[in-house]
Amino acid sequence: MLNGTDLYALDIDGASFVKACGGPCTEGCVTLARIGEDAWALGDSKRPDMQPLRFTTEELGVAGIDPARFGLSV
């Protein structure tokens, strides 16, 4: 929960996802988008039928994912 907000209640229609691969991958299977203040969606372009997972900035950091590395501001 983010300040009492359910991350899955946030609307991600229109979210701008970017490739967030860590290596020389050309397929760009992992995608990341800012969906709100301190809220992110992490998707899989190979599984477009699956809903992206939602995380806070802190949760991404614990997992070692820095959105700035992929051109997204924190």
Side-chain angles (χ1 to χ4, degrees), residues 17-43:
F17 284 84
V18 299
K19 292 180 184 179
C21 289
C25 174
T26 58
E27 296 180 34
C29 57
V30 177
T31 59
L32 182 65
R34 182 180 209 117
I35 58 171
E37 183 67 32
D38 194 36
W40 303 87
L42 187 68

Side-chain angles (χ1 to χ4, degrees), residues 4-73:
T5 302
D6 178 2
L7 292 174
Y8 285 87
L10 297 173
D11 182 15
I12 65 169
D13 290 340
S16 182
F17 284 84
V18 299
K19 292 180 184 179
C21 289
C25 174
T26 58
E27 296 180 34
C29 57
V30 177
T31 59
L32 182 65
R34 182 180 209 117
I35 58 171
E37 183 67 32
D38 194 36
W40 303 87
L42 187 68
D44 182 347
S45 66
K46 292 180 181 179
R47 300 286 311 269
D49 55 317
M50 301 300 295
Q51 183 181 36
L53 299 174
R54 319 273 180 108
F55 299 95
T56 64
T57 302
E58 180 181 359
E59 291 170 325
L60 287 182
V62 169
I65 300 170
D66 179 6
R69 181 175 176 206
F70 308 107
L72 298 166
S73 62

